Amino acid sequence: MYNAVESEQLVMIRDSAREFAKIYIKPYIMEWDEAQFFPIDLFKKLGDYGFMGIVVPTEYGGAGLSYQEYITILDEISQVCGSIGLSIAAHNSLCTNHILSFANEEQKHKYLPKLATADWIGAWGLTEASSGSDAGGMMTTGIQDGDYWIINGSKTFITHAISGDVAVVMVRTGDKNDKHGMTAFIIEKGTPGFTSGKKLDKLGMRASETASLFFDNCRVHKDQVIGKVGNGFVQALKLLDGGRISIAALSLGIARGAYKCALKYANEREQFNQKIYNFQDVSFTIADIATKIEASELLIRKAGYLKDNNLKVTKEGAMAKLYASEVAVEASNQAVQILGGYGFTKDYPAEKFFRDAKLCTIGEGTSAIQKMVISREIKKDVY
């Protein structure tokens, strides 16, 4: 089981991520948020630090770190800005990890060094306007034409759809709702017939770019297929098991950032000739959130341990994502409440944590989907 005592390397990684966030992210978070600006130059710098290829082995140009370090990096970055944490998570756990986990060696050596250094930004496409949780009903199709596949359709709610240099896209190459009827393709920016839509205007995570992808008779060579034709859906499900650890770690950071904001304010704000932390309602609320944050981290660390040891993580990843994301929403809501009127203004970070947190209960499977996954897994425990 995971050892809660941090290694020297983990402490060093935590300090590095914390310092990075303090210097390169914190001064600009509201500027980026207001403008919905996706800071590509920042991600190039994140690449220099090894934060864009965290679990990618060094032979492919990555940092070669474990999921424990990955969790720590996302936690620290997201305590400062959930948007940046989200983009790091999407790039690492979806596009990059799909290629790492299922591509052939030629594909890995071609794409991973560029992705791990942020020379290229990655996107990943599964969701469509008419098929969110019901991925089996996707409408984007691929028809084989000799050595090429002709792809038509669209994907929506895609992180880095505009700025991404390469995307891993799930395409229906068989019958609807056939789990072996989908195929994963690597599609590079600039491929004829492959375009992106306008940036979505979002409630939160505003500095993390989100848009649609469009395919109009897009011809993709068969060499761009990841794994076998028809294995895309199975690959995606396995990938999402680990991806939920990413969203859980993102949630952890947002919750911790909101908690620190509330704790600091409660120890500074005076009412009735005393710090408001002295009021039991305030201190008990903060104590409750602190406890739930600790519980979140233990769930996430356990899932990370299983992932690092190549053990099944379906149930534990879903549990970590479900719990941590709901705690992030609760923590940020309570932070706004404790700050009162100030919590409702953009002069304090509480309102941004509040806006960013909600996405964590939706992305990579809603809370209801997590409960469905968990309930299916625990049913197997009956004996």
Side-chain angles (χ1 to χ4, degrees):
M1 186 49 63
Y2 170 68
N3 183 355
V5 178
E6 293 185 338
S7 66
E8 185 177 337
Q9 176 170 285
L10 195 61
V11 172
M12 182 179 69
I13 292 293
R14 185 187 299 282
D15 291 344
S16 177
R18 184 174 295 171
E19 188 70 8
F20 185 98
K22 179 182 177 181
I23 296 173
Y24 299 110
I25 300 175
K26 191 173 183 178
Y28 312 104
I29 55 175
M30 291 313 297
E31 176 186 334
W32 295 338
D33 184 81
E34 291 286 339
Q36 289 208 103
F37 176 71
F38 179 62
I40 293 179
D41 289 345
L42 174 76
F43 288 91
K44 303 297 183 183
K45 191 172 290 292
L46 282 161
D48 293 339
Y49 275 66
F51 294 165
M52 296 296 274
I54 300 169
V55 299
V56 175
T58 55
E59 65 182 289
Y60 302 118
L65 298 174
S66 74
Y67 263 76
Q68 298 303 333
E69 282 89 9
Y70 182 34
I71 291 164
T72 296
I73 292 166
L74 280 178
D75 177 10
E76 289 296 329
I77 297 293
S78 303
Q79 286 182 46
V80 175
C81 183
S83 293
I84 304 305
L86 174 62
S87 277
I88 293 172
H91 176 93
N92 275 275
S93 72
L94 296 178
C95 179
T96 302
N97 201 36
H98 198 138
I99 294 171
L100 175 63
S101 300
F102 301 108
N104 59 42
E105 284 301 313
E106 183 179 350
Q107 291 169 334
K108 289 180 183 179
H109 282 285
K110 180 178 180 180
Y111 291 107
L112 289 179
K114 294 178 180 178
L115 289 165
T117 57
D119 184 29
W120 280 17
I121 301 295
W124 191 79
L126 175 65
T127 300
E128 298 183 2
S130 60
S131 62
S133 299
D134 180 21
M138 71 168 56
M139 301 295 290
T140 299
T141 59
I143 299 174
Q144 193 160 15
D145 179 26
D147 288 342
Y148 286 84
W149 287 84
I150 302 175
I151 300 174
N152 284 285
S154 63
K155 299 292 178 180
T156 193
F157 298 124
I158 306 304
T159 305
H160 309 147
I162 300 169
S163 299
D165 299 281
V166 63
V168 173
V169 182
M170 306 309 118
V171 175
R172 183 162 59 82
T173 53
D175 295 332
K176 265 190 180 183
N177 298 311
D178 178 2
K179 66 179 181 180
H180 295 295
M182 299 181 207
T183 302
F185 291 85
I186 305 173
I187 308 179
E188 295 181 19
K189 190 175 189 176
T191 301
F194 178 40
T195 58
S196 57
K198 68 176 183 178
K199 187 183 297 184
L200 295 179
D201 192 1
K202 300 177 297 182
L203 168 71
M205 301 293 194
R206 291 169 60 83
S208 180
E209 176 188 279
T210 309
S212 295
L213 295 174
F214 298 103
F215 308 91
D216 181 10
N217 291 320
C218 179
R219 292 176 63 84
V220 180
H221 196 271
K222 64 182 182 180
D223 288 346
Q224 298 303 99
V225 171
I226 300 179
K228 294 181 179 180
V229 171
N231 277 4
F233 186 62
V234 175
Q235 292 171 8
L237 289 180
K238 291 180 179 178
L239 197 74
L240 288 171
D241 282 349
R244 287 166 183 147
I245 300 174
S246 299
I247 301 301
L250 168 66
S251 303
L252 176 66
I254 292 172
R256 213 190 298 273
Y259 159 77
K260 289 181 176 179
C261 174
L263 183 63
K264 181 176 185 292
Y265 183 84
N267 279 284
E268 292 175 347
R269 174 71 164 172
E270 289 192 6
Q271 293 285 274
F272 305 103
N273 299 315
Q274 60 180 312
K275 307 294 185 184
I276 65 169
Y277 189 82
N278 293 335
F279 299 124
Q280 189 178 80
D281 179 64
V282 173
S283 60
F284 276 24
T285 296
I286 294 175
D288 190 38
I289 294 300
T291 303
K292 290 179 179 180
I293 288 172
E294 290 293 315
S296 294
E297 181 165 14
L298 288 172
L299 282 169
I300 298 164
R301 295 291 181 185
K302 179 182 179 182
Y305 170 86
L306 294 173
K307 185 67 177 173
D308 281 332
N309 287 275
N310 297 313
L311 298 171
K312 187 177 180 182
V313 72
T314 304
K315 179 182 73 176
E316 289 78 5
M319 285 180 167
K321 196 269 190 188
L322 170 65
Y323 188 76
S325 64
E326 295 292 347
V327 168
V329 170
E330 182 182 356
S332 57
N333 180 45
Q334 293 292 4
V336 170
Q337 194 69 25
I338 288 169
L339 268 68
Y342 292 112
F344 206 66
T345 73
K346 296 193 176 186
D347 294 329
Y348 289 81
E351 64 84 30
K352 184 176 182 298
F353 288 123
F354 182 73
R355 289 186 289 108
D356 288 347
K358 189 56 191 172
L359 185 277
C360 297
T361 68
I362 299 170
E364 295 201 32
T366 63
S367 291
I369 290 294
Q370 305 313 312
K371 291 176 183 178
M372 182 184 74
V373 171
I374 295 164
S375 63
R376 285 177 178 173
E377 291 297 310
I378 62 176
K379 187 177 180 181
K380 301 172 186 177
D381 295 336
V382 176
Y383 54 89

